[in-house]
Amino acid sequence: MMISAHGNREKRTIRTFDRRQVFLAGVVTALVCLCTYYFLSPSDLIPIFPRLQPEFSPCHCDQPYPAYDLQFDPPNSTFYDDPSFGYTINTKMENWDQKRQTWLNLHPTFKSKSQENLFIVTGSRPTPCKSPTGDHYLLRTYRNKVDYCRIHGYDIFYNNVLLDPFMPSWWSKIPVVRAAMVAHPEAEWIWWLDEDTVITDMEYKIPFHRYKDYNFVVHGWPKEVYQKKRWLGLNAGSFLIRNCQWSLDMLDMWADMGPQSPNVEKWAKIILEEFKNPVCDQTALAYLIWKTQNESFGRKILIETGYYLEGYWVGIVESLKNITERYLEIEKRAVMLRRRHAEKVSEVYGVLREPFLKDAGNEAGRWRRPFVTHFAGCQPCSGNHNPLFTIEGCNNRMNEALNFADNQVLRNYGVFRHDLDNSAVVNPLPFDYPA
């Protein structure tokens, strides 16, 4: 069969065109893959290139705050596998720092945030309240703490059993805090809060950067403890304790002064002589801080005066309405603070508010929100209130503080209370309020 020269040229042209098409298609495909590589996240790439996904990937550890892997616990032996390990005060723990670090190394998703990881512990008695309104107020104060934890991503444990039957009443916090430490090695700090405390600034975050040299932080007045030796120079209803061996030793020393200890009578005499007050958890703590102030052990303790880690309710609650007005004035000037937003990003707005609070102060009579308001002496559960107060007066002031804190939460749900005295009535939040 004869093929003309014209036919040969035509076939060569077709072949050349086909090769150009193939080449062009290859270039386009390469560009698409390249763009996909640069503009999609690693998680987006996994369906396209399944072999790029690691065989074991408990977290994306290059992210600033990787999610905890709650379904990952390797079979490697840890302190939990030691038969001599225990959660109670009478079980001695040694080398806790090393044991805890080993656990964190095996659970890298918890390690990344461990330096500021806070675990809140609170609780109440195992029986119903004697006061007819007591359980109602315990529910509200607990809900207040849960709200704070949800906003800031913290965990909380509410205990209503005696972990040590020989350490009742005020002393019961010590075995609970001790158990929480070893049950939560991922937590750098444990924050104990009494049942009758209310977090009244839901935006405030504890300034952990100030505590790099301390292991125990309690609110109070150093002069009252160190010089005047007064047990009321601090309050043990709210304190921070670092999760470390020092703290376990400190809890052992504190518990040794308690009712379950064979040394309780010895310590009762010593403490009464120095602090002129019968021994209780708070007197024992004040004595321990005073006694060790010049030792290396005592230099790990800080009596916080810079903000209300624990603020006495008398004098605070009456200022809450004025504080509300001052914060509304800030929001009238700052558009971003009036913006509606999801509750999960509430921390951002707390940071945005800080420049407006430089002159607000944290002392009595100033107008920054008190961080924690403590209703010491009101005894909402037992009803055995301080005779200086009345049940009605305590209940009214607790309602105001709880409603003040609750307003900060409810704004994220589109409502708020105009009247802090009225717990039941809420109003829709107008758009761009309070412009």
Side-chain angles (χ1 to χ4, degrees):
M1 180 177 177
M2 300 292 294
I3 300 176
S4 65
H6 174 74
N8 288 330
R9 285 196 302 269
E10 186 176 26
K11 291 184 70 175
R12 285 197 299 269
T13 302
I14 292 173
R15 292 193 190 101
T16 302
F17 180 72
D18 289 341
R19 285 196 295 270
R20 288 175 180 174
Q21 275 189 319
V22 172
F23 176 78
L24 182 59
V27 170
V28 171
T29 301
L31 286 173
V32 169
C33 291
L34 189 61
C35 290
T36 301
Y37 180 83
Y38 278 104
F39 292 105
L40 291 182
S41 68
S43 61
D44 292 325
L45 280 171
I46 288 171
I48 303 174
F49 302 108
R51 292 187 180 181
L52 293 178
Q53 187 177 15
E55 185 177 356
F56 298 103
S57 55
C59 71
H60 298 292
C61 294
D62 58 334
Q63 297 176 3
Y65 296 111
Y68 296 150
D69 189 341
L70 303 180
Q71 298 184 14
F72 177 73
D73 193 20
N76 306 62
S77 179
T78 68
F79 63 90
Y80 289 116
D81 299 299
D82 183 353
S84 65
F85 161 77
Y87 297 86
T88 59
I89 285 290
N90 57 14
T91 306
K92 185 68 177 177
M93 174 72 79
E94 296 179 347
N95 301 319
W96 173 240
D97 295 338
Q98 179 182 348
K99 293 173 181 176
R100 179 172 171 250
Q101 189 59 51
T102 299
W103 188 94
L104 287 171
N105 290 340
L106 292 171
H107 300 79
T109 62
F110 295 97
K111 188 176 180 180
S112 59
K113 287 180 65 177
S114 63
Q115 291 306 305
E116 291 191 1
N117 194 351
L118 177 68
F119 186 77
I120 295 180
V121 182
T122 186
S124 61
R125 64 179 62 199
T127 56
C129 291
K130 294 181 180 180
S131 169
T133 59
D135 290 306
H136 168 73
Y137 283 106
L138 291 192
L139 175 63
R140 291 198 67 192
T141 55
Y142 176 53
R143 183 209 150 183
N144 165 260
K145 298 171 180 65
V146 170
D147 286 339
Y148 182 81
C149 289
R150 189 180 63 253
I151 289 170
H152 296 283
Y154 299 140
D155 288 330
I156 187 170
F157 174 55
Y158 189 100
N159 177 63
N160 65 345
V161 297
L162 288 176
L163 270 63
D164 188 324
F166 300 104
M167 299 186 76
S169 188
W170 311 293
W171 293 96
S172 62
K173 63 169 69 77
I174 297 177
V176 178
V177 169
R178 203 270 191 193
M181 282 186 178
V182 296
H184 287 272
E186 83 285 355
E188 179 69 10
W189 289 93
I190 306 295
W191 183 16
W192 168 263
L193 280 168
D194 274 3
E195 61 186 26
D196 55 353
T197 56
V198 180
I199 300 174
T200 36
D201 189 349
M202 299 305 240
E203 291 179 342
Y204 192 80
K205 293 201 70 174
I206 294 172
F208 290 109
H209 63 277
R210 291 168 51 171
Y211 305 144
K212 61 183 180 66
D213 297 324
Y214 301 102
N215 293 333
F216 187 87
V217 183
V218 63
H219 185 264
W221 300 267
K223 185 177 179 180
E224 296 293 308
V225 176
Y226 294 126
Q227 297 179 27
K228 298 183 179 181
K229 293 189 284 189
R230 295 190 62 204
W231 73 290
L232 293 175
L234 54 81
N235 193 292
S238 172
F239 62 81
L240 297 163
I241 186 166
R242 192 186 294 274
N243 196 351
C244 63
Q245 184 65 52
W246 181 99
S247 297
L248 291 173
D249 295 340
M250 184 264 188
L251 291 177
D252 288 342
M253 295 167 65
W254 192 3
D256 190 49
M257 305 177 195
Q260 91 297 341
S261 171
N263 301 316
V264 61
E265 293 184 6
K266 178 192 78 171
W267 287 117
K269 292 178 182 178
I270 295 173
I271 292 173
L272 183 61
E273 181 180 345
E274 293 291 352
F275 275 72
K276 314 303 179 187
N277 194 76
V279 65
C280 67
D281 69 312
Q282 186 165 301
T283 317
L285 177 61
Y287 172 81
L288 180 60
I289 293 174
W290 170 78
K291 184 67 175 177
T292 62
Q293 61 182 299
N294 296 319
E295 303 173 9
S296 58
F297 183 90
R299 286 192 284 271
K300 290 292 184 180
I301 298 173
L302 175 67
I303 298 179
E304 179 63 82
T305 61
Y307 65 97
Y308 283 120
L309 182 59
E310 182 275 338
Y312 187 39
W313 65 277
V314 177
I316 285 183
V317 178
E318 62 189 22
S319 68
L320 296 182
K321 291 180 181 178
N322 178 60
I323 291 173
T324 298
E325 294 301 319
R326 296 297 295 266
Y327 273 65
L328 289 176
E329 290 174 9
I330 292 174
E331 292 172 12
K332 288 178 181 178
R333 304 196 308 267
V335 177
M336 280 297 294
L337 292 177
R338 302 196 301 268
R339 184 187 180 200
R340 292 176 177 173
H341 58 268
E343 187 179 62
K344 280 293 186 183
V345 294
S346 293
E347 280 193 359
V348 175
Y349 295 86
V351 173
L352 290 173
R353 195 186 304 275
E354 280 300 313
F356 299 94
L357 300 174
K358 289 181 179 179
D359 301 322
N362 269 305
E363 305 81 14
R366 302 305 294 276
W367 57 275
R368 184 176 187 131
R369 292 170 181 160
F371 183 36
V372 177
T373 302
H374 189 189
F375 286 85
C378 280
Q379 299 294 323
C381 188
S382 69
N384 300 324
H385 58 85
N386 188 312
L388 294 173
F389 316 129
T390 64
I391 294 178
E392 182 181 12
C394 281
N395 289 350
N396 289 341
R397 299 292 83 78
M398 287 191 74
N399 276 329
E400 288 184 49
L402 286 163
N403 292 341
F404 176 82
D406 205 23
N407 263 353
Q408 299 166 45
V409 178
L410 290 177
R411 287 190 63 167
N412 294 323
Y413 295 85
V415 295
F416 74 116
R417 294 182 180 89
H418 281 296
D419 185 2
L420 295 181
D421 296 321
N422 193 329
S423 300
V425 178
V426 295
N427 305 97
L429 187 69
F431 182 76
D432 204 30
Y433 178 85

